[in-house]
Amino acid sequence: MRRRIIAGNWKMNMTKAEAKAFMLELLPLIKDAKCDTVLCVPFTDIHRVYKLALDSNVKVGAQNVAWADKGAFTGEISAEMLLEVGAEYVIIGHSERRAYFGETDESVNMRLKQALKTGLKPIVCVGETLEQREAGKTEEVLSQQIKKGLEGVTEEVIIAYEPVWAIGTGKTATPEMANETIGFIRKVAKELVGEVSILYGGSMNAANAQTLLDMPEIDGGLIGGASLKPNDFATIVNCH
């Protein structure tokens, strides 16, 4: 089922004290928001943000989850651990995880199945590099990421389209480009899991959010840098 979702991805930012200050400033600004609002925060912030968000319209998510229940996986974190401290959502397969930490479509699929098995709501990221787009391979790359990442999955997922060339660079796909590409993603995903919410994750900010969210195929945003600024994030959340 399609619904408006604005998810913040804090990445490796915010101490517990900074997270508390952020939440105290943000919550009054978005108390009347009509969309689903999610903050995907560092593991050490999850419980603090969860407690601060109680009785609010903000849900909490993690930025990664292991594919196993438990075991000798140094540096990983299990779905049970995330649920225990208040996480409800989880980002899987972010481009930075793929680029810096060796994530593959196969490992994305394993993590996705584990998240769904345990009740976490996954936000699965897909996206092409600048080289792939310029070579005309955007649809080929995205189709492979979706089909391999969602292989064997029938449950509802959220997909975030993040053109790698537009993350943290200040570059943004035009609303028309983003809409067209997300339309293609929707077509591929619909054959596998049915109708899904698809977020745009390429440098959406307070200035361009409304124009992007007005596009018929874009259901929301996965927000990076702007999610670290309460006023900017609130502006995006409050878009109609």
PDB file of all heavy atoms in Angstrom, residues 124-128 138-139 141-143 145-146 150 159-163 178-200 217:
ATOM      1  N   VAL A 124      14.574  -0.684   1.571  1.00  0.00           N
ATOM      2  CA  VAL A 124      15.617  -1.253   0.721  1.00  0.00           C
ATOM      3  C   VAL A 124      16.071  -0.206  -0.298  1.00  0.00           C
ATOM      4  O   VAL A 124      15.258   0.344  -1.038  1.00  0.00           O
ATOM      5  CB  VAL A 124      15.099  -2.506  -0.011  1.00  0.00           C
ATOM      6  CG1 VAL A 124      16.206  -3.111  -0.872  1.00  0.00           C
ATOM      7  CG2 VAL A 124      14.579  -3.530   0.987  1.00  0.00           C
ATOM      8  N   CYS A 125      17.380   0.042  -0.326  1.00  0.00           N
ATOM      9  CA  CYS A 125      17.925   1.087  -1.196  1.00  0.00           C
ATOM     10  C   CYS A 125      18.447   0.510  -2.513  1.00  0.00           C
ATOM     11  O   CYS A 125      19.116  -0.528  -2.522  1.00  0.00           O
ATOM     12  CB  CYS A 125      19.065   1.818  -0.493  1.00  0.00           C
ATOM     13  SG  CYS A 125      18.568   2.655   1.028  1.00  0.00           S
ATOM     14  N   VAL A 126      18.148   1.208  -3.590  1.00  0.00           N
ATOM     15  CA  VAL A 126      18.693   0.868  -4.905  1.00  0.00           C
ATOM     16  C   VAL A 126      19.130   2.160  -5.579  1.00  0.00           C
ATOM     17  O   VAL A 126      18.644   3.237  -5.250  1.00  0.00           O
ATOM     18  CB  VAL A 126      17.656   0.137  -5.793  1.00  0.00           C
ATOM     19  CG1 VAL A 126      17.226  -1.177  -5.163  1.00  0.00           C
ATOM     20  CG2 VAL A 126      16.431   1.016  -6.060  1.00  0.00           C
ATOM     21  N   GLY A 127      20.061   2.053  -6.513  1.00  0.00           N
ATOM     22  CA  GLY A 127      20.500   3.257  -7.207  1.00  0.00           C
ATOM     23  C   GLY A 127      21.708   2.994  -8.084  1.00  0.00           C
ATOM     24  O   GLY A 127      22.460   2.045  -7.863  1.00  0.00           O
ATOM     25  N   GLU A 128      21.880   3.847  -9.076  1.00  0.00           N
ATOM     26  CA  GLU A 128      22.966   3.692 -10.040  1.00  0.00           C
ATOM     27  C   GLU A 128      24.030   4.767  -9.830  1.00  0.00           C
ATOM     28  O   GLU A 128      23.749   5.831  -9.281  1.00  0.00           O
ATOM     29  CB  GLU A 128      22.414   3.764 -11.475  1.00  0.00           C
ATOM     30  CG  GLU A 128      22.180   5.159 -12.033  1.00  0.00           C
ATOM     31  CD  GLU A 128      20.917   5.839 -11.527  1.00  0.00           C
ATOM     32  OE1 GLU A 128      20.336   5.363 -10.523  1.00  0.00           O
ATOM     33  OE2 GLU A 128      20.515   6.861 -12.110  1.00  0.00           O
ATOM     34  N   THR A 138      21.048   2.589 -16.493  1.00  0.00           N
ATOM     35  CA  THR A 138      20.258   2.814 -15.282  1.00  0.00           C
ATOM     36  C   THR A 138      19.213   1.725 -15.066  1.00  0.00           C
ATOM     37  O   THR A 138      19.136   1.111 -13.995  1.00  0.00           O
ATOM     38  CB  THR A 138      19.569   4.194 -15.335  1.00  0.00           C
ATOM     39  OG1 THR A 138      20.584   5.205 -15.287  1.00  0.00           O
ATOM     40  CG2 THR A 138      18.640   4.380 -14.143  1.00  0.00           C
ATOM     41  N   GLU A 139      18.394   1.456 -16.079  1.00  0.00           N
ATOM     42  CA  GLU A 139      17.315   0.485 -15.914  1.00  0.00           C
ATOM     43  C   GLU A 139      17.858  -0.926 -15.718  1.00  0.00           C
ATOM     44  O   GLU A 139      17.312  -1.708 -14.921  1.00  0.00           O
ATOM     45  CB  GLU A 139      16.354   0.550 -17.097  1.00  0.00           C
ATOM     46  CG  GLU A 139      15.572   1.862 -17.139  1.00  0.00           C
ATOM     47  CD  GLU A 139      14.459   1.863 -18.163  1.00  0.00           C
ATOM     48  OE1 GLU A 139      14.343   0.872 -18.932  1.00  0.00           O
ATOM     49  OE2 GLU A 139      13.690   2.839 -18.195  1.00  0.00           O
ATOM     50  N   VAL A 141      20.740  -1.770 -14.297  1.00  0.00           N
ATOM     51  CA  VAL A 141      21.293  -1.851 -12.936  1.00  0.00           C
ATOM     52  C   VAL A 141      20.178  -1.940 -11.902  1.00  0.00           C
ATOM     53  O   VAL A 141      20.206  -2.784 -10.995  1.00  0.00           O
ATOM     54  CB  VAL A 141      22.200  -0.631 -12.652  1.00  0.00           C
ATOM     55  CG1 VAL A 141      22.574  -0.571 -11.172  1.00  0.00           C
ATOM     56  CG2 VAL A 141      23.447  -0.685 -13.520  1.00  0.00           C
ATOM     57  N   LEU A 142      19.190  -1.074 -12.027  1.00  0.00           N
ATOM     58  CA  LEU A 142      18.099  -1.053 -11.056  1.00  0.00           C
ATOM     59  C   LEU A 142      17.284  -2.344 -11.105  1.00  0.00           C
ATOM     60  O   LEU A 142      16.894  -2.883 -10.059  1.00  0.00           O
ATOM     61  CB  LEU A 142      17.192   0.145 -11.306  1.00  0.00           C
ATOM     62  CG  LEU A 142      17.829   1.518 -11.064  1.00  0.00           C
ATOM     63  CD1 LEU A 142      16.868   2.629 -11.461  1.00  0.00           C
ATOM     64  CD2 LEU A 142      18.250   1.678  -9.610  1.00  0.00           C
ATOM     65  N   SER A 143      17.035  -2.848 -12.284  1.00  0.00           N
ATOM     66  CA  SER A 143      16.279  -4.084 -12.420  1.00  0.00           C
ATOM     67  C   SER A 143      16.995  -5.235 -11.721  1.00  0.00           C
ATOM     68  O   SER A 143      16.377  -6.038 -11.009  1.00  0.00           O
ATOM     69  CB  SER A 143      16.073  -4.413 -13.906  1.00  0.00           C
ATOM     70  OG  SER A 143      15.324  -5.598 -14.056  1.00  0.00           O
ATOM     71  N   GLN A 145      19.254  -4.989  -9.254  1.00  0.00           N
ATOM     72  CA  GLN A 145      19.258  -4.764  -7.804  1.00  0.00           C
ATOM     73  C   GLN A 145      17.916  -5.150  -7.190  1.00  0.00           C
ATOM     74  O   GLN A 145      17.863  -5.749  -6.108  1.00  0.00           O
ATOM     75  CB  GLN A 145      19.576  -3.311  -7.499  1.00  0.00           C
ATOM     76  CG  GLN A 145      21.021  -2.922  -7.772  1.00  0.00           C
ATOM     77  CD  GLN A 145      21.295  -1.445  -7.507  1.00  0.00           C
ATOM     78  OE1 GLN A 145      20.370  -0.641  -7.378  1.00  0.00           O
ATOM     79  NE2 GLN A 145      22.557  -1.089  -7.430  1.00  0.00           N
ATOM     80  N   ILE A 146      16.831  -4.811  -7.867  1.00  0.00           N
ATOM     81  CA  ILE A 146      15.499  -5.109  -7.334  1.00  0.00           C
ATOM     82  C   ILE A 146      15.224  -6.606  -7.380  1.00  0.00           C
ATOM     83  O   ILE A 146      14.785  -7.209  -6.389  1.00  0.00           O
ATOM     84  CB  ILE A 146      14.415  -4.335  -8.116  1.00  0.00           C
ATOM     85  CG1 ILE A 146      14.595  -2.831  -7.917  1.00  0.00           C
ATOM     86  CG2 ILE A 146      13.023  -4.765  -7.658  1.00  0.00           C
ATOM     87  CD1 ILE A 146      13.842  -1.988  -8.928  1.00  0.00           C
ATOM     88  N   LEU A 150      15.175  -8.546  -3.869  1.00  0.00           N
ATOM     89  CA  LEU A 150      13.853  -8.958  -3.398  1.00  0.00           C
ATOM     90  C   LEU A 150      13.527 -10.410  -3.743  1.00  0.00           C
ATOM     91  O   LEU A 150      12.390 -10.857  -3.565  1.00  0.00           O
ATOM     92  CB  LEU A 150      12.777  -8.042  -3.989  1.00  0.00           C
ATOM     93  CG  LEU A 150      12.445  -6.759  -3.220  1.00  0.00           C
ATOM     94  CD1 LEU A 150      13.669  -5.872  -3.055  1.00  0.00           C
ATOM     95  CD2 LEU A 150      11.332  -5.988  -3.909  1.00  0.00           C
ATOM     96  N   ILE A 159      10.882   0.841  -0.735  1.00  0.00           N
ATOM     97  CA  ILE A 159      12.078   0.986  -1.561  1.00  0.00           C
ATOM     98  C   ILE A 159      12.489   2.449  -1.582  1.00  0.00           C
ATOM     99  O   ILE A 159      11.642   3.341  -1.641  1.00  0.00           O
ATOM    100  CB  ILE A 159      11.825   0.485  -3.000  1.00  0.00           C
ATOM    101  CG1 ILE A 159      11.545  -1.020  -2.985  1.00  0.00           C
ATOM    102  CG2 ILE A 159      13.015   0.801  -3.913  1.00  0.00           C
ATOM    103  CD1 ILE A 159      11.182  -1.597  -4.350  1.00  0.00           C
ATOM    104  N   ALA A 160      13.784   2.681  -1.485  1.00  0.00           N
ATOM    105  CA  ALA A 160      14.314   4.037  -1.622  1.00  0.00           C
ATOM    106  C   ALA A 160      15.217   4.077  -2.851  1.00  0.00           C
ATOM    107  O   ALA A 160      16.172   3.300  -2.946  1.00  0.00           O
ATOM    108  CB  ALA A 160      15.097   4.450  -0.378  1.00  0.00           C
ATOM    109  N   TYR A 161      14.880   4.962  -3.785  1.00  0.00           N
ATOM    110  CA  TYR A 161      15.735   5.163  -4.948  1.00  0.00           C
ATOM    111  C   TYR A 161      16.717   6.276  -4.637  1.00  0.00           C
ATOM    112  O   TYR A 161      16.332   7.414  -4.396  1.00  0.00           O
ATOM    113  CB  TYR A 161      14.914   5.537  -6.176  1.00  0.00           C
ATOM    114  CG  TYR A 161      15.766   6.039  -7.331  1.00  0.00           C
ATOM    115  CD1 TYR A 161      16.814   5.263  -7.824  1.00  0.00           C
ATOM    116  CD2 TYR A 161      15.541   7.288  -7.907  1.00  0.00           C
ATOM    117  CE1 TYR A 161      17.614   5.720  -8.866  1.00  0.00           C
ATOM    118  CE2 TYR A 161      16.320   7.748  -8.956  1.00  0.00           C
ATOM    119  CZ  TYR A 161      17.362   6.958  -9.428  1.00  0.00           C
ATOM    120  OH  TYR A 161      18.166   7.419 -10.455  1.00  0.00           O
ATOM    121  N   GLU A 162      17.995   5.922  -4.630  1.00  0.00           N
ATOM    122  CA  GLU A 162      19.033   6.905  -4.340  1.00  0.00           C
ATOM    123  C   GLU A 162      20.077   6.871  -5.445  1.00  0.00           C
ATOM    124  O   GLU A 162      20.991   6.046  -5.414  1.00  0.00           O
ATOM    125  CB  GLU A 162      19.672   6.632  -2.969  1.00  0.00           C
ATOM    126  CG  GLU A 162      19.873   5.149  -2.642  1.00  0.00           C
ATOM    127  CD  GLU A 162      20.820   4.952  -1.484  1.00  0.00           C
ATOM    128  OE1 GLU A 162      20.885   5.833  -0.630  1.00  0.00           O
ATOM    129  OE2 GLU A 162      21.520   3.925  -1.474  1.00  0.00           O
ATOM    130  N   PRO A 163      19.928   7.752  -6.441  1.00  0.00           N
ATOM    131  CA  PRO A 163      20.988   7.840  -7.453  1.00  0.00           C
ATOM    132  C   PRO A 163      22.306   8.161  -6.748  1.00  0.00           C
ATOM    133  O   PRO A 163      22.422   9.187  -6.079  1.00  0.00           O
ATOM    134  CB  PRO A 163      20.521   8.983  -8.354  1.00  0.00           C
ATOM    135  CG  PRO A 163      19.524   9.745  -7.553  1.00  0.00           C
ATOM    136  CD  PRO A 163      18.885   8.773  -6.625  1.00  0.00           C
ATOM    137  N   ALA A 178      13.657  11.918 -11.625  1.00  0.00           N
ATOM    138  CA  ALA A 178      13.384  11.073 -10.459  1.00  0.00           C
ATOM    139  C   ALA A 178      12.050  10.351 -10.624  1.00  0.00           C
ATOM    140  O   ALA A 178      11.928   9.155 -10.339  1.00  0.00           O
ATOM    141  CB  ALA A 178      13.380  11.915  -9.187  1.00  0.00           C
ATOM    142  N   ASN A 179      11.048  11.081 -11.105  1.00  0.00           N
ATOM    143  CA  ASN A 179       9.719  10.500 -11.280  1.00  0.00           C
ATOM    144  C   ASN A 179       9.745   9.371 -12.306  1.00  0.00           C
ATOM    145  O   ASN A 179       9.160   8.307 -12.091  1.00  0.00           O
ATOM    146  CB  ASN A 179       8.747  11.595 -11.720  1.00  0.00           C
ATOM    147  CG  ASN A 179       7.314  11.135 -11.719  1.00  0.00           C
ATOM    148  OD1 ASN A 179       6.738  10.896 -10.666  1.00  0.00           O
ATOM    149  ND2 ASN A 179       6.731  11.010 -12.896  1.00  0.00           N
ATOM    150  N   GLU A 180      10.437   9.607 -13.405  1.00  0.00           N
ATOM    151  CA  GLU A 180      10.513   8.586 -14.457  1.00  0.00           C
ATOM    152  C   GLU A 180      11.214   7.326 -13.956  1.00  0.00           C
ATOM    153  O   GLU A 180      10.755   6.201 -14.194  1.00  0.00           O
ATOM    154  CB  GLU A 180      11.258   9.147 -15.669  1.00  0.00           C
ATOM    155  CG  GLU A 180      11.395   8.165 -16.817  1.00  0.00           C
ATOM    156  CD  GLU A 180      12.182   8.726 -17.997  1.00  0.00           C
ATOM    157  OE1 GLU A 180      12.667   9.871 -17.893  1.00  0.00           O
ATOM    158  OE2 GLU A 180      12.312   8.010 -19.008  1.00  0.00           O
ATOM    159  N   THR A 181      12.338   7.518 -13.259  1.00  0.00           N
ATOM    160  CA  THR A 181      13.091   6.356 -12.785  1.00  0.00           C
ATOM    161  C   THR A 181      12.321   5.603 -11.718  1.00  0.00           C
ATOM    162  O   THR A 181      12.300   4.364 -11.693  1.00  0.00           O
ATOM    163  CB  THR A 181      14.462   6.799 -12.244  1.00  0.00           C
ATOM    164  OG1 THR A 181      15.147   7.552 -13.250  1.00  0.00           O
ATOM    165  CG2 THR A 181      15.309   5.585 -11.878  1.00  0.00           C
ATOM    166  N   ILE A 182      11.673   6.312 -10.819  1.00  0.00           N
ATOM    167  CA  ILE A 182      10.879   5.648  -9.779  1.00  0.00           C
ATOM    168  C   ILE A 182       9.691   4.918 -10.404  1.00  0.00           C
ATOM    169  O   ILE A 182       9.297   3.845  -9.936  1.00  0.00           O
ATOM    170  CB  ILE A 182      10.451   6.665  -8.705  1.00  0.00           C
ATOM    171  CG1 ILE A 182      11.681   7.036  -7.851  1.00  0.00           C
ATOM    172  CG2 ILE A 182       9.337   6.113  -7.817  1.00  0.00           C
ATOM    173  CD1 ILE A 182      11.440   8.090  -6.799  1.00  0.00           C
ATOM    174  N   GLY A 183       9.148   5.470 -11.470  1.00  0.00           N
ATOM    175  CA  GLY A 183       8.090   4.766 -12.184  1.00  0.00           C
ATOM    176  C   GLY A 183       8.572   3.426 -12.716  1.00  0.00           C
ATOM    177  O   GLY A 183       7.847   2.417 -12.665  1.00  0.00           O
ATOM    178  N   PHE A 184       9.804   3.395 -13.239  1.00  0.00           N
ATOM    179  CA  PHE A 184      10.379   2.137 -13.711  1.00  0.00           C
ATOM    180  C   PHE A 184      10.570   1.162 -12.553  1.00  0.00           C
ATOM    181  O   PHE A 184      10.241  -0.027 -12.664  1.00  0.00           O
ATOM    182  CB  PHE A 184      11.727   2.393 -14.402  1.00  0.00           C
ATOM    183  CG  PHE A 184      12.474   1.136 -14.729  1.00  0.00           C
ATOM    184  CD1 PHE A 184      12.107   0.354 -15.810  1.00  0.00           C
ATOM    185  CD2 PHE A 184      13.528   0.718 -13.927  1.00  0.00           C
ATOM    186  CE1 PHE A 184      12.784  -0.836 -16.097  1.00  0.00           C
ATOM    187  CE2 PHE A 184      14.210  -0.459 -14.204  1.00  0.00           C
ATOM    188  CZ  PHE A 184      13.835  -1.241 -15.295  1.00  0.00           C
ATOM    189  N   ILE A 185      11.107   1.667 -11.425  1.00  0.00           N
ATOM    190  CA  ILE A 185      11.302   0.821 -10.238  1.00  0.00           C
ATOM    191  C   ILE A 185       9.972   0.219  -9.792  1.00  0.00           C
ATOM    192  O   ILE A 185       9.889  -0.964  -9.455  1.00  0.00           O
ATOM    193  CB  ILE A 185      11.946   1.640  -9.101  1.00  0.00           C
ATOM    194  CG1 ILE A 185      13.382   2.019  -9.468  1.00  0.00           C
ATOM    195  CG2 ILE A 185      11.911   0.872  -7.773  1.00  0.00           C
ATOM    196  CD1 ILE A 185      14.013   3.036  -8.530  1.00  0.00           C
ATOM    197  N   ARG A 186       8.939   1.040  -9.797  1.00  0.00           N
ATOM    198  CA  ARG A 186       7.619   0.564  -9.376  1.00  0.00           C
ATOM    199  C   ARG A 186       7.128  -0.589 -10.259  1.00  0.00           C
ATOM    200  O   ARG A 186       6.565  -1.572  -9.779  1.00  0.00           O
ATOM    201  CB  ARG A 186       6.616   1.713  -9.403  1.00  0.00           C
ATOM    202  CG  ARG A 186       5.270   1.365  -8.773  1.00  0.00           C
ATOM    203  CD  ARG A 186       4.317   2.552  -8.776  1.00  0.00           C
ATOM    204  NE  ARG A 186       4.898   3.731  -8.170  1.00  0.00           N
ATOM    205  CZ  ARG A 186       5.072   3.903  -6.861  1.00  0.00           C
ATOM    206  NH1 ARG A 186       4.725   2.948  -6.023  1.00  0.00           N
ATOM    207  NH2 ARG A 186       5.601   5.021  -6.403  1.00  0.00           N
ATOM    208  N   LYS A 187       7.355  -0.443 -11.555  1.00  0.00           N
ATOM    209  CA  LYS A 187       6.923  -1.478 -12.496  1.00  0.00           C
ATOM    210  C   LYS A 187       7.624  -2.807 -12.210  1.00  0.00           C
ATOM    211  O   LYS A 187       6.986  -3.866 -12.179  1.00  0.00           O
ATOM    212  CB  LYS A 187       7.225  -1.027 -13.923  1.00  0.00           C
ATOM    213  CG  LYS A 187       6.828  -2.020 -14.997  1.00  0.00           C
ATOM    214  CD  LYS A 187       7.193  -1.496 -16.391  1.00  0.00           C
ATOM    215  CE  LYS A 187       6.875  -2.510 -17.478  1.00  0.00           C
ATOM    216  NZ  LYS A 187       7.285  -2.020 -18.820  1.00  0.00           N
ATOM    217  N   VAL A 188       8.937  -2.758 -11.977  1.00  0.00           N
ATOM    218  CA  VAL A 188       9.693  -3.986 -11.693  1.00  0.00           C
ATOM    219  C   VAL A 188       9.280  -4.576 -10.346  1.00  0.00           C
ATOM    220  O   VAL A 188       9.041  -5.782 -10.223  1.00  0.00           O
ATOM    221  CB  VAL A 188      11.207  -3.699 -11.712  1.00  0.00           C
ATOM    222  CG1 VAL A 188      11.993  -4.957 -11.335  1.00  0.00           C
ATOM    223  CG2 VAL A 188      11.646  -3.191 -13.081  1.00  0.00           C
ATOM    224  N   ALA A 189       9.180  -3.718  -9.326  1.00  0.00           N
ATOM    225  CA  ALA A 189       8.855  -4.206  -7.986  1.00  0.00           C
ATOM    226  C   ALA A 189       7.445  -4.775  -7.912  1.00  0.00           C
ATOM    227  O   ALA A 189       7.190  -5.750  -7.184  1.00  0.00           O
ATOM    228  CB  ALA A 189       9.027  -3.075  -6.967  1.00  0.00           C
ATOM    229  N   LYS A 190       6.532  -4.169  -8.663  1.00  0.00           N
ATOM    230  CA  LYS A 190       5.134  -4.598  -8.602  1.00  0.00           C
ATOM    231  C   LYS A 190       4.976  -6.037  -9.054  1.00  0.00           C
ATOM    232  O   LYS A 190       4.127  -6.778  -8.535  1.00  0.00           O
ATOM    233  CB  LYS A 190       4.271  -3.662  -9.454  1.00  0.00           C
ATOM    234  CG  LYS A 190       2.785  -3.765  -9.182  1.00  0.00           C
ATOM    235  CD  LYS A 190       2.034  -2.625  -9.857  1.00  0.00           C
ATOM    236  CE  LYS A 190       0.555  -2.640  -9.473  1.00  0.00           C
ATOM    237  NZ  LYS A 190      -0.181  -1.491 -10.056  1.00  0.00           N
ATOM    238  N   GLU A 191       5.801  -6.463 -10.003  1.00  0.00           N
ATOM    239  CA  GLU A 191       5.732  -7.840 -10.483  1.00  0.00           C
ATOM    240  C   GLU A 191       6.208  -8.828  -9.424  1.00  0.00           C
ATOM    241  O   GLU A 191       5.845 -10.005  -9.453  1.00  0.00           O
ATOM    242  CB  GLU A 191       6.578  -7.985 -11.748  1.00  0.00           C
ATOM    243  CG  GLU A 191       6.058  -7.187 -12.941  1.00  0.00           C
ATOM    244  CD  GLU A 191       6.971  -7.290 -14.150  1.00  0.00           C
ATOM    245  OE1 GLU A 191       8.025  -7.956 -14.044  1.00  0.00           O
ATOM    246  OE2 GLU A 191       6.629  -6.709 -15.199  1.00  0.00           O
ATOM    247  N   LEU A 192       7.023  -8.343  -8.478  1.00  0.00           N
ATOM    248  CA  LEU A 192       7.599  -9.216  -7.456  1.00  0.00           C
ATOM    249  C   LEU A 192       6.809  -9.196  -6.156  1.00  0.00           C
ATOM    250  O   LEU A 192       6.518 -10.247  -5.582  1.00  0.00           O
ATOM    251  CB  LEU A 192       9.050  -8.799  -7.179  1.00  0.00           C
ATOM    252  CG  LEU A 192      10.007  -8.865  -8.364  1.00  0.00           C
ATOM    253  CD1 LEU A 192      11.340  -8.227  -8.007  1.00  0.00           C
ATOM    254  CD2 LEU A 192      10.219 -10.313  -8.783  1.00  0.00           C
ATOM    255  N   VAL A 193       6.496  -8.004  -5.650  1.00  0.00           N
ATOM    256  CA  VAL A 193       5.882  -7.890  -4.317  1.00  0.00           C
ATOM    257  C   VAL A 193       4.593  -7.085  -4.310  1.00  0.00           C
ATOM    258  O   VAL A 193       4.029  -6.823  -3.248  1.00  0.00           O
ATOM    259  CB  VAL A 193       6.882  -7.282  -3.308  1.00  0.00           C
ATOM    260  CG1 VAL A 193       8.065  -8.205  -3.099  1.00  0.00           C
ATOM    261  CG2 VAL A 193       7.349  -5.901  -3.762  1.00  0.00           C
ATOM    262  N   GLY A 194       4.134  -6.635  -5.466  1.00  0.00           N
ATOM    263  CA  GLY A 194       2.927  -5.828  -5.511  1.00  0.00           C
ATOM    264  C   GLY A 194       3.233  -4.351  -5.328  1.00  0.00           C
ATOM    265  O   GLY A 194       4.365  -3.908  -5.492  1.00  0.00           O
ATOM    266  N   GLU A 195       2.232  -3.588  -4.961  1.00  0.00           N
ATOM    267  CA  GLU A 195       2.382  -2.143  -4.814  1.00  0.00           C
ATOM    268  C   GLU A 195       3.244  -1.807  -3.608  1.00  0.00           C
ATOM    269  O   GLU A 195       3.091  -2.414  -2.543  1.00  0.00           O
ATOM    270  CB  GLU A 195       1.009  -1.484  -4.668  1.00  0.00           C
ATOM    271  CG  GLU A 195       1.021   0.015  -4.859  1.00  0.00           C
ATOM    272  CD  GLU A 195       1.414   0.432  -6.264  1.00  0.00           C
ATOM    273  OE1 GLU A 195       0.534   0.487  -7.142  1.00  0.00           O
ATOM    274  OE2 GLU A 195       2.604   0.701  -6.479  1.00  0.00           O
ATOM    275  N   VAL A 196       4.161  -0.867  -3.770  1.00  0.00           N
ATOM    276  CA  VAL A 196       5.065  -0.480  -2.686  1.00  0.00           C
ATOM    277  C   VAL A 196       5.169   1.039  -2.622  1.00  0.00           C
ATOM    278  O   VAL A 196       4.898   1.745  -3.597  1.00  0.00           O
ATOM    279  CB  VAL A 196       6.482  -1.072  -2.887  1.00  0.00           C
ATOM    280  CG1 VAL A 196       6.454  -2.587  -2.819  1.00  0.00           C
ATOM    281  CG2 VAL A 196       7.090  -0.600  -4.207  1.00  0.00           C
ATOM    282  N   SER A 197       5.585   1.530  -1.459  1.00  0.00           N
ATOM    283  CA  SER A 197       5.946   2.940  -1.334  1.00  0.00           C
ATOM    284  C   SER A 197       7.397   3.089  -1.777  1.00  0.00           C
ATOM    285  O   SER A 197       8.262   2.312  -1.362  1.00  0.00           O
ATOM    286  CB  SER A 197       5.794   3.408   0.115  1.00  0.00           C
ATOM    287  OG  SER A 197       4.445   3.444   0.497  1.00  0.00           O
ATOM    288  N   ILE A 198       7.653   4.084  -2.618  1.00  0.00           N
ATOM    289  CA  ILE A 198       9.009   4.312  -3.114  1.00  0.00           C
ATOM    290  C   ILE A 198       9.425   5.729  -2.773  1.00  0.00           C
ATOM    291  O   ILE A 198       8.762   6.702  -3.137  1.00  0.00           O
ATOM    292  CB  ILE A 198       9.115   4.076  -4.631  1.00  0.00           C
ATOM    293  CG1 ILE A 198       8.621   2.666  -4.988  1.00  0.00           C
ATOM    294  CG2 ILE A 198      10.564   4.257  -5.096  1.00  0.00           C
ATOM    295  CD1 ILE A 198       8.681   2.337  -6.470  1.00  0.00           C
ATOM    296  N   LEU A 199      10.543   5.834  -2.055  1.00  0.00           N
ATOM    297  CA  LEU A 199      11.067   7.112  -1.597  1.00  0.00           C
ATOM    298  C   LEU A 199      12.181   7.580  -2.519  1.00  0.00           C
ATOM    299  O   LEU A 199      12.874   6.764  -3.136  1.00  0.00           O
ATOM    300  CB  LEU A 199      11.612   6.988  -0.172  1.00  0.00           C
ATOM    301  CG  LEU A 199      10.777   6.174   0.825  1.00  0.00           C
ATOM    302  CD1 LEU A 199      11.447   6.193   2.204  1.00  0.00           C
ATOM    303  CD2 LEU A 199       9.361   6.665   0.886  1.00  0.00           C
ATOM    304  N   TYR A 200      12.374   8.892  -2.592  1.00  0.00           N
ATOM    305  CA  TYR A 200      13.515   9.428  -3.328  1.00  0.00           C
ATOM    306  C   TYR A 200      14.602   9.796  -2.335  1.00  0.00           C
ATOM    307  O   TYR A 200      14.346  10.484  -1.342  1.00  0.00           O
ATOM    308  CB  TYR A 200      13.120  10.651  -4.159  1.00  0.00           C
ATOM    309  CG  TYR A 200      14.310  11.269  -4.865  1.00  0.00           C
ATOM    310  CD1 TYR A 200      14.957  10.580  -5.885  1.00  0.00           C
ATOM    311  CD2 TYR A 200      14.822  12.501  -4.479  1.00  0.00           C
ATOM    312  CE1 TYR A 200      16.066  11.108  -6.519  1.00  0.00           C
ATOM    313  CE2 TYR A 200      15.933  13.041  -5.107  1.00  0.00           C
ATOM    314  CZ  TYR A 200      16.545  12.344  -6.121  1.00  0.00           C
ATOM    315  OH  TYR A 200      17.660  12.872  -6.733  1.00  0.00           O
ATOM    316  N   GLU A 217       4.864   9.668  -8.906  1.00  0.00           N
ATOM    317  CA  GLU A 217       5.468   8.384  -8.558  1.00  0.00           C
ATOM    318  C   GLU A 217       6.249   8.422  -7.241  1.00  0.00           C
ATOM    319  O   GLU A 217       6.598   7.373  -6.696  1.00  0.00           O
ATOM    320  CB  GLU A 217       6.411   7.918  -9.680  1.00  0.00           C
ATOM    321  CG  GLU A 217       5.730   7.634 -11.002  1.00  0.00           C
ATOM    322  CD  GLU A 217       4.903   6.354 -10.979  1.00  0.00           C
ATOM    323  OE1 GLU A 217       4.945   5.625  -9.969  1.00  0.00           O
ATOM    324  OE2 GLU A 217       4.197   6.097 -11.972  1.00  0.00           O
TER     325      GLU A 217
END
